[in-house]
Amino acid sequence: MKMQFIILISLFVVGAMAGKYSKEINEQKASDKNNNQVEFRIAKLNQIWEKALRMQLAPVRLSELHSDLKIQEKDELQWKKLKAEGLDEDGEREAKLRRNFSIILAKYGMDGKKDTRTLDSNRLKDHDFKEGDTFDDPRLDKLWNKAKTSGKFSDEELQSLQREFKHHKDRINEYNIVMDTVSRTEEIHKNVISPLEGEVKEHVLHQKHADLKQRMRDLNQGFERLRKITHEGYSDDSEFKEPRVIELWEMAKRSNLSEDELDSLKEELKHFETKVEKHQHYQEQLELSHQKLKHVEALGDEDHIMRNKEKYNTLAEKAREMGYKMKKHLQDLTNKISPNGLQHNEL
């Protein structure tokens, strides 16, 4: 009798869990009709992943996409729970999720349109790409050339500075992507009929414009930092080397955190920087493994191909796992520093 009671309780618990997550499970089954391996619990994310595989994105880029989709999956499942509890009535979190998804599509060239952001004169730059430009931005190119010829930097420092320049360029691209989504939202807003719906969309639009303004401030501050380093060189007491960590630390120093909170954050950022460096190491190993695999495949030795493929798949899995953990940690750190932290680390 006691055993029957335990079985009944177990069945009840399993049934309750199945009901709670039935939509996610159904979404998974919809993506698994042909017994293909399912990477994500949300159908649209699986569709994007499968499209990326068909596009044959470069290994490191594919790994980055996987991490971005995992973060999107986590945020969407969290939002579904909040919505089921009657929260997010103004739709602000839902709008943010849609925007983040649009950014992912644009970032990896899956938004169904040619990438004209770098050519649009209404964007942050209004020049044509010239052969020999390193960062496709006149201000960055001028600064970088000055840094290279200044004699103020060692080879290692130049590599660190180059990463900072590339990070700034990526931030410009993000800004342009977000501006595209805001422009589309404004077009939709013009066609609103319901006054109540109009109020909700007006609120979302206001949030997006606030996001754009903050991004522009961050870009200006980031460029000013690059300009200062180029003219003065790195100081002996530089706290960090990785661009994302430097950006977080600069943001923290401008925030309302106390001295004790800043000291605590500095230690956490050191751990985070180690995680970033480790992830970069795995990405480099993944790229080398992919090149070796292509070479071995050309030779046609099946045993050698299988061994290299196993090594490549193991590295790819590790890089994706570490990429997700790193981006999740980045999200947590940004939210600690800024109440509106999510707007700074969608990518």
Side-chain angles (χ1 to χ4, degrees):
M1 184 69 183
K2 185 177 180 183
M3 181 62 70
Q4 290 175 327
F5 177 74
I6 292 170
I7 291 171
L8 284 170
I9 289 294
S10 300
L11 288 171
F12 175 79
V13 170
V14 170
M17 289 177 67
K20 186 175 182 182
Y21 298 106
S22 60
K23 190 172 182 183
E24 286 80 8
I25 291 169
N26 287 335
E27 286 170 331
Q28 182 172 355
K29 287 180 180 176
S31 296
D32 201 19
K33 290 177 181 176
N34 300 318
N35 293 321
N36 293 324
Q37 185 179 358
V38 173
E39 287 287 331
F40 304 97
R41 285 189 279 172
I42 297 175
K44 68 178 181 181
L45 302 185
N46 273 307
Q47 289 164 6
I48 294 302
W49 179 245
E50 287 162 11
K51 182 178 179 180
L53 294 175
R54 290 194 300 272
M55 289 168 63
Q56 296 184 325
L57 290 181
V60 171
R61 195 152 172 77
L62 195 63
S63 174
E64 285 291 300
L65 172 63
H66 193 278
S67 303
D68 285 338
L69 291 176
K70 273 291 181 187
I71 291 289
Q72 182 75 12
E73 178 183 55
K74 172 187 69 69
D75 291 343
E76 289 210 16
L77 292 177
Q78 284 177 350
W79 170 75
K80 285 179 182 180
K81 290 178 184 178
L82 288 174
K83 190 179 180 185
E85 293 166 7
L87 301 174
D88 194 35
E89 290 182 2
D90 61 359
E92 185 178 332
R93 287 181 71 96
E94 182 180 11
K96 215 172 236 185
L97 285 170
R98 286 179 179 174
R99 181 182 66 198
N100 291 356
F101 185 63
S102 297
I103 288 173
I104 290 172
L105 295 181
K107 179 182 176 184
Y108 295 95
M110 297 184 187
D111 53 353
K113 61 182 182 180
K114 292 181 180 178
D115 189 357
T116 58
R117 283 179 293 273
T118 57
L119 300 177
D120 191 331
S121 61
N122 192 36
R123 297 300 187 259
L124 288 179
K125 59 193 188 63
D126 57 358
H127 73 298
D128 293 324
F129 180 80
K130 299 181 182 65
E131 189 173 348
D133 279 1
T134 309
F135 299 102
D136 196 20
D137 183 284
R139 297 196 306 168
L140 290 181
D141 291 331
K142 186 176 178 180
L143 268 185
W144 175 243
N145 288 327
K146 184 170 184 177
K148 282 195 302 182
T149 57
S150 67
K152 295 176 183 174
F153 303 96
S154 65
D155 289 344
E156 185 180 349
E157 286 175 333
L158 270 179
Q159 287 179 358
S160 295
L161 186 59
Q162 187 176 41
R163 285 199 299 271
E164 288 204 53
F165 271 74
K166 184 182 179 302
H167 180 70
H168 189 81
K169 178 191 172 183
D170 291 341
R171 284 307 196 199
I172 291 174
N173 289 340
E174 288 175 25
Y175 176 91
N176 292 334
I177 290 169
V178 173
M179 192 159 78
D180 279 343
T181 66
V182 172
S183 298
R184 287 197 295 272
T185 304
E186 286 176 334
E187 285 300 314
I188 294 168
H189 184 67
K190 290 175 184 175
N191 300 321
V192 167
I193 298 172
S194 163
L196 182 60
E197 187 183 356
E199 287 178 15
V200 173
K201 290 189 176 179
E202 185 72 47
H203 172 71
V204 171
L205 201 57
H206 175 75
Q207 289 291 331
K208 289 189 175 185
H209 278 292
D211 180 11
L212 273 177
K213 286 179 183 176
Q214 183 58 52
R215 285 175 183 271
M216 178 56 78
R217 280 194 292 269
D218 291 344
L219 280 173
N220 288 336
Q221 287 162 348
F223 182 79
E224 189 56 32
R225 171 185 158 74
L226 290 177
R227 191 192 63 76
K228 184 177 179 183
I229 292 173
T230 300
H231 283 82
E232 300 175 8
Y234 280 110
S235 61
D236 294 334
D237 59 346
S238 296
E239 301 285 352
F240 305 103
K241 293 186 291 185
E242 288 301 324
R244 275 169 289 197
V245 185
I246 292 168
E247 185 179 51
L248 285 171
W249 181 236
E250 293 296 322
M251 194 191 306
K253 288 192 291 186
R254 294 193 301 267
S255 71
N256 295 322
L257 296 178
S258 67
E259 286 298 321
D260 287 344
E261 287 172 327
L262 280 174
D263 288 341
S264 175
L265 182 68
K266 186 189 291 185
E267 289 304 311
E268 191 172 354
L269 285 174
K270 286 176 182 175
H271 291 300
F272 177 64
E273 185 168 56
T274 302
K275 193 178 289 185
V276 172
E277 290 168 347
K278 194 173 180 183
H279 177 236
Q280 287 175 345
H281 170 74
Y282 270 96
Q283 285 185 321
E284 289 166 5
Q285 293 303 307
L286 178 63
E287 182 57 40
L288 290 172
S289 178
H290 181 249
Q291 291 173 8
K292 187 175 180 181
L293 178 60
K294 284 167 65 179
H295 175 70
V296 170
E297 284 175 339
L299 297 176
D301 184 335
E302 290 299 326
D303 288 339
H304 207 182
I305 290 172
M306 187 170 291
R307 284 197 301 273
N308 278 273
K309 193 168 282 186
E310 285 176 2
K311 183 180 179 183
Y312 170 76
N313 289 336
T314 300
L315 279 169
E317 186 64 32
K318 189 68 178 175
R320 291 171 195 169
E321 179 188 337
M322 291 191 66
Y324 169 75
K325 287 179 179 176
M326 187 199 68
K327 291 190 178 189
K328 173 67 172 64
H329 197 175
L330 173 63
Q331 199 176 58
D332 293 341
L333 283 166
T334 310
N335 289 334
K336 272 187 184 180
I337 297 166
S338 169
N340 299 317
L342 277 173
Q343 70 190 25
H344 298 291
N345 64 318
E346 285 140 349
L347 300 184

